[in-house]
Amino acid sequence: MERTNHSTDTIWERTVGYSRAVRIGNQIFVSGTTSTDELGLVTGISNPYRQTVQTLSNIEKALKQLGASLNDVVRTRIFITNINYWETIGKAHSEFFKDICPATSMVVVSRLIDAEMLVEIEADAVIS
């Protein structure tokens, strides 16, 4: 099967050595994604809702680059730094996925790579 790597050329990808997303056949795996803009700067500082919206928008862009959409997402994994944010983050997730309803997990972690990051999301998609 053909493999296609998609990169956004952020410093994180170059430093760690990973792709934003990888497509193999009809499957796409999106790496842990945060609320960074085109320059790699964190957006929505101290605002878990805005960070989640930006994160999911970043995932949507990566999927489009590889020929998919949010409708193809079958699983998300949500990592949050504060359990008190779960409803706000869940609300944003629902706004993107309420009709798709992928399998998901939400896990509290002690910290993400940048202390200003409140949420990180992975996604897996299968193009039908």
Side-chain angles (χ1 to χ4, degrees):
M1 273 186 210
E2 183 179 339
R3 174 188 176 121
T4 305
N5 291 353
H6 169 66
S7 176
T8 55
D9 294 322
T10 63
I11 188 170
W12 307 109
E13 291 171 25
R14 290 188 304 271
T15 301
V16 178
Y18 72 95
S19 297
R20 169 64 36 222
V22 176
R23 178 175 177 169
I24 298 179
N26 69 335
Q27 298 181 68
I28 298 174
F29 306 93
V30 182
S31 294
T33 302
T34 58
S35 66
T36 52
D37 62 15
E38 300 80 28
L39 300 175
L41 302 173
V42 178
T43 65
I45 303 298
S46 301
N47 187 324
Y49 176 83
R50 282 192 51 221
Q51 284 200 16
T52 305
V53 168
Q54 179 67 48
T55 297
L56 292 169
S57 294
N58 290 348
I59 288 171
E60 185 174 31
K61 287 179 197 171
L63 290 168
K64 284 182 181 178
Q65 290 293 317
L66 292 171
S69 72
L70 291 176
N71 288 325
D72 298 306
V73 173
V74 296
R75 179 172 180 87
T76 59
R77 292 169 198 84
I78 306 167
F79 303 95
I80 64 176
T81 59
N82 185 328
I83 193 61
N84 295 321
Y85 300 151
W86 81 267
E87 286 184 274
T88 301
I89 291 167
K91 178 181 184 286
H93 186 273
S94 178
E95 289 171 4
F96 281 78
F97 290 112
K98 69 180 176 181
D99 295 328
I100 303 161
C101 295
T104 194
S105 302
M106 186 180 291
V107 179
V108 177
V109 296
S110 62
R111 190 187 147 175
L112 297 170
I113 199 162
D114 184 315
E116 293 179 325
M117 294 174 178
L118 307 174
V119 61
E120 182 171 327
I121 302 174
E122 299 176 350
D124 299 336
V126 178
I127 302 170
S128 52

